[in-house]
Amino acid sequence: MTYAHTIAGTRYVFGDLRTLLARAAPYRSGDALAGLAASTAAERVAAQMALADLPLAAILAEPVVPYEVDEVTRLIVDSHDVSAFAPVASLTVGEFREFLLAAEPDALAALRPGLTPEMAAAVSKLMRLQDLIAVAAKCRIVTRFRNTIGLPGRLSVRLQPNHPTDDARGVAASTLDGLLLGAGDAVIGVNPATDSVDAACTLLAMLDAVRERYAIPTQTCVLAHVTTSLRAIERGAPLDLVFQSIGGTEAANAGFGVSLALLREAREAALSLKRGTLGDIVMYFETGQGSALSADAHHGVDQQTIEARAYAVAWAFSPLLVNSVVGFIGPEYLYDGKQITRAGLEDHFCGKLLGLPMGVDVCYTNHAEADQDDMDALLTLLGVAGVTYVMGVPGADDIMLSYQSTSFHDALYLRGALGLRPAPEFEEWLERMGIDATVTSGGVPAGLSPALIGLE
């Protein structure tokens, strides 16, 4: 179907929905690299005006990636709930924006099964930053494994104690550092330097021993490939969560070495361990704008719309945690702090609207036109938007992945500035251990001994 809009006597024509969505997207370097971005600001405005007049039902009727060739499209179409969609079925995308801004939280929650990722992406392209923040702040998704994540007034932190050689003592040292600064209630999650099953099992055993020794109400994870996690389970490793990076097309997921069937297998394997105490939600997913484009798996769809489609994959597996690693892929896809900020708020909005416990890795690579001031701004905006969790990296500088993220102290800043608290069970544990997570320095509290954690 063709779409068009006229501005100042010039008629702009968009040959299909993919083109319309791409031209309406706020400018970013990845879409320009792919030849998808609007060539002028006038063309972008024309596309946004045409998109605003487009019925939501038309988006449902025209998949941006063909049903016949893509299992993610089939997942989206086959799981769509017509009755949940009914309250907004007659609206245009522009009217849907107004609906979202006025809707109560319960109405947004009821709507989730009736929305598609393309609808969420489309409306986000018409929204200012304050719109993305205002709507996301009304979307609360609560998940449980050993603690309760996502409650109002709470901000969780993934403690990310990475080490360039997967040295268990180095990981333990960073873990102790983070715990003393109130991080770790989302997960203590290590990105391994390799996909060695032996290394993964060693790290899982060490982290689980620390968790059990101090009775920490949290979950641990080694963010290895899903096949490595499956092999670790077969060996009897104490695995809490299965992690996997995912994308918004079948081809993008094939580039990650996964399929929907493999993810189902991994989820069932993790569930069989029955390690949760408050809940049995065992999946953890990461996403990021540009991953499908970098794999030439985007089907001519703009990177933000493809990113939103990844959230349909995540939602199908009821995850404990999802996060967009928003600036990790580099300036070829998000060039500077302005683009990273916009993308982070878009991802958070779309994920929350679609029902995901959405966190954001507020980050950038050293060759991007961004700095820590940009990250401070995005971190603060996400806090106002009700982000579920952020990263806690020693010194904000990941020594294994070689990128800049947010530190334990940054999370303390955000909790303090906005009056946010850790997950309730974790907060009670901090109090029992004598850890004051409102301060940024101090000695080792009684009960947390470096000797007992294996550092002496």
Side-chain angles (χ1 to χ4, degrees):
M1 184 173 177
T2 299
Y3 308 92
H5 191 81
T6 300
I7 293 181
T10 300
R11 181 173 174 80
Y12 295 88
V13 179
F14 311 98
D16 54 26
L17 181 59
R18 287 181 301 179
T19 303
L20 178 65
L21 290 168
R23 301 296 193 271
Y27 180 82
R28 62 207 61 199
S29 53
D31 290 339
L33 177 69
L36 301 175
S39 58
T40 65
E43 184 185 20
R44 181 170 297 106
V45 170
Q48 290 172 339
M49 295 294 288
L51 183 61
D53 292 336
L54 181 70
L56 286 176
I59 296 176
L60 188 63
E62 187 179 348
V64 295
V65 182
Y67 183 95
E68 298 75 17
V69 303
D70 188 84
E71 68 173 358
V72 176
T73 298
R74 293 193 289 275
L75 173 68
I76 292 168
V77 173
D78 295 348
S79 62
H80 181 255
D81 188 325
V82 176
S83 60
F85 180 56
V88 296
S90 65
L91 302 183
T92 64
V93 177
E95 291 168 340
F96 183 46
R97 171 184 170 273
E98 301 301 322
F99 173 91
L100 293 175
L101 289 168
E104 295 297 325
D106 288 347
L108 295 177
L111 192 63
R112 289 168 193 155
L115 300 180
T116 68
E118 291 85 351
M119 293 176 193
V123 75
S124 75
K125 297 176 193 300
L126 305 182
M127 299 176 106
R128 296 168 57 184
L129 296 189
Q130 65 176 253
D131 298 339
L132 298 171
I133 292 167
V135 177
K138 295 187 287 185
C139 300
R140 283 290 173 182
I141 294 89
V142 177
T143 58
R144 294 178 176 88
F145 188 77
R146 289 198 189 93
N147 59 19
T148 306
I149 300 169
L151 292 170
R154 306 281 177 168
L155 172 71
S156 292
V157 183
R158 171 187 157 192
L159 201 171
Q160 185 170 308
N162 294 345
H163 192 277
T165 63
D166 290 341
D167 181 84
R169 286 169 55 84
V171 171
S174 294
T175 299
L176 176 61
D177 186 22
L179 290 170
L180 293 176
L181 291 170
D185 53 336
V187 64
I188 303 174
V190 181
N191 295 93
T194 72
D195 253 329
S196 162
V197 180
D198 289 340
C201 289
T202 297
L203 290 173
L204 284 168
M206 183 275 290
L207 292 174
D208 196 56
V210 171
R211 182 192 62 78
E212 286 198 329
R213 174 65 183 82
Y214 295 104
I216 308 171
T218 191
Q219 35 285 329
T220 63
C221 184
V222 173
L223 284 71
H225 191 268
V226 64
T227 54
T228 302
S229 294
L230 279 168
R231 290 160 69 189
I233 291 172
E234 291 170 358
R235 291 192 186 184
L239 184 144
D240 291 340
L241 307 181
V242 170
F243 166 83
Q244 184 56 49
S245 296
I246 56 173
T249 68
E250 181 177 344
N253 286 323
F256 287 124
V258 299
S259 65
L260 299 183
L262 180 58
L263 293 175
R264 280 192 289 270
E265 178 186 352
R267 180 171 181 266
E268 291 305 313
L271 285 171
S272 72
L273 301 179
K274 302 183 185 302
R275 291 179 55 80
T277 54
L278 297 185
D280 61 355
I281 306 179
V282 295
M283 300 300 284
Y284 174 16
F285 295 113
E286 282 190 348
T287 68
Q289 288 193 29
S291 60
L293 175 58
S294 70
D296 194 23
H298 61 297
H299 293 271
V301 182
D302 69 275
Q303 62 187 37
Q304 190 255 333
T305 300
I306 287 290
E307 168 73 3
R309 284 169 53 94
Y311 303 154
V313 176
W315 189 82
F317 296 95
S318 302
L320 182 77
L321 304 166
V322 180
N323 71 263
S324 166
V325 193
V326 66
F328 182 74
I329 199 165
E332 300 86 352
Y333 304 94
L334 295 170
Y335 179 74
D336 57 15
K338 181 180 178 66
Q339 292 184 21
I340 292 171
T341 297
R342 172 81 197 188
L345 291 168
E346 286 171 348
D347 294 351
H348 179 254
F349 160 81
C350 288
K352 283 289 185 67
L353 186 64
L354 294 169
L356 295 178
M358 201 72 191
V360 177
D361 189 343
V362 179
C363 64
Y364 64 101
T365 57
N366 287 318
H367 61 311
E369 290 296 321
D371 58 27
Q372 214 63 36
D373 284 344
D374 295 311
M375 300 305 103
D376 285 350
L378 177 54
L379 177 68
T380 305
L381 292 172
L382 284 165
V384 176
V387 70
T388 301
Y389 70 105
V390 295
M391 305 300 128
V393 177
D397 185 353
D398 193 297
I399 59 173
M400 193 280 283
L401 292 172
S402 297
Y403 79 118
Q404 307 302 309
S405 184
T406 47
S407 70
F408 307 135
H409 299 80
D410 293 334
L412 286 179
Y413 143 73
L414 193 60
R415 283 174 174 164
L418 299 180
L420 303 172
R421 295 153 60 193
E425 301 85 357
F426 193 80
E427 183 179 41
E428 292 171 4
W429 177 81
L430 291 172
E431 292 172 356
R432 288 198 305 272
M433 299 302 292
I435 299 173
D436 183 354
T438 64
V439 299
T440 59
S441 63
V444 178
L448 263 185
S449 164
L452 290 176
I453 209 170
L455 299 180
E456 290 181 356

